[in-house]
Amino acid sequence: MSYDRITSENAAVLFIDHQTGLANGVQTQHPAEFLNNVKALVALANVHGLPSVITTSAADGPNGPIMPAVAQGLPNAAIVHRPGEINAWDNADFVAAVEKTGRKKLLVAGISTEVCLAFVALSAKQAGYEVYAVLDASGTWDKRVEDAAIARMVQAGVIPMTWVGVGAELLGDWRSPVGEAHGKLMGEYLPFSGNNIAGYLTAKGLA
């Protein structure tokens, strides 16, 4: 497999069922940690100008509305409210929204990992996309369930990643025009990075 890097020109982000009700079932991470990771992926999409697609399942029922961190953080994202399809890829409007991005690399996160994320990742891979499962911005109710889902996706050629790895590959070089904005993002969502920056600024007399 060749190493064709993720860039701001070739990637899009898909948020699958990041809904308030479903988020209550995420137990593979601490709630605050999970929310932090979702916010970080949202911030990466904004800093690097990635087109984003959000989809929900039965948002008027117990699954709940879109998590505020996603809805408010991505006001220009395409939103597809599915009436019943479990696999978002079975919804023609969602697939059309993904196609409209014009991107062939898909950064996918979802609740839950074994259903909402895995089903879309597997389907998109089969449809010819290069798919990256952003695992720490996804979650489910049990570690064994998550491990099985990851194994299934990897066997199909889906690439597992985390938001820090995604961000570093998107940035590529700290001298990038968005290097400063990316650094602020890292400081906000990765505690040790924030400490590093604060220590540096203090040593330089800038804090």
Side-chain angles (χ1 to χ4, degrees):
M1 182 177 175
S2 62
Y3 177 32
D4 185 19
R5 300 185 186 188
I6 301 166
T7 71
S8 58
E9 289 78 34
N10 65 18
V13 187
L14 311 184
F15 291 86
I16 315 299
D17 299 353
H18 283 80
Q19 297 169 245
T20 57
L22 293 174
N24 290 330
V26 175
Q27 298 180 40
T28 46
Q29 300 181 57
H30 186 279
E33 180 183 23
F34 175 64
L35 180 59
N36 177 80
N37 294 336
V38 171
K39 286 181 175 180
L41 185 59
V42 168
L44 283 174
N46 284 320
V47 167
H48 293 277
L50 304 181
S52 302
V53 181
I54 300 167
T55 185
T56 69
S57 173
D60 56 351
N63 288 353
I66 302 168
M67 293 170 61
V70 177
Q72 296 171 14
L74 296 167
N76 298 319
I79 299 176
V80 177
H81 296 293
R82 308 191 312 282
E85 300 94 342
I86 294 174
N87 183 346
W89 207 261
D90 290 340
N91 182 283
D93 292 336
F94 175 72
V95 173
V98 174
E99 291 174 345
K100 190 175 180 179
T101 69
R103 308 298 175 87
K104 295 300 289 184
K105 293 181 182 293
L106 302 180
L107 307 168
V108 189
I111 308 172
S112 62
T113 306
E114 78 280 9
V115 176
C116 306
L117 167 59
F119 289 1
V120 166
L122 295 168
S123 297
K125 177 67 178 175
Q126 188 175 40
Y129 289 88
E130 188 170 338
V131 184
Y132 301 79
V134 187
L135 297 173
D136 53 356
S138 306
T140 188
W141 57 277
D142 184 89
K143 183 65 165 57
R144 290 166 299 181
V145 172
E146 184 175 70
D147 289 346
I150 293 169
R152 185 183 186 194
M153 288 187 283
V154 169
Q155 287 174 352
V158 174
I159 302 166
M161 291 193 74
T162 61
W163 73 261
V164 172
V166 167
E169 192 156 315
L170 284 169
L171 181 62
D173 191 319
W174 284 108
R175 295 167 294 183
S176 161
V178 298
E180 183 176 353
H182 189 98
K184 290 180 179 177
L185 181 162
M186 292 288 289
E188 183 172 358
Y189 298 109
L190 192 64
F192 84 81
S193 182
N195 291 340
N196 288 348
I197 293 170
Y200 170 79
L201 294 177
T202 299
K204 293 292 185 180
L206 301 174

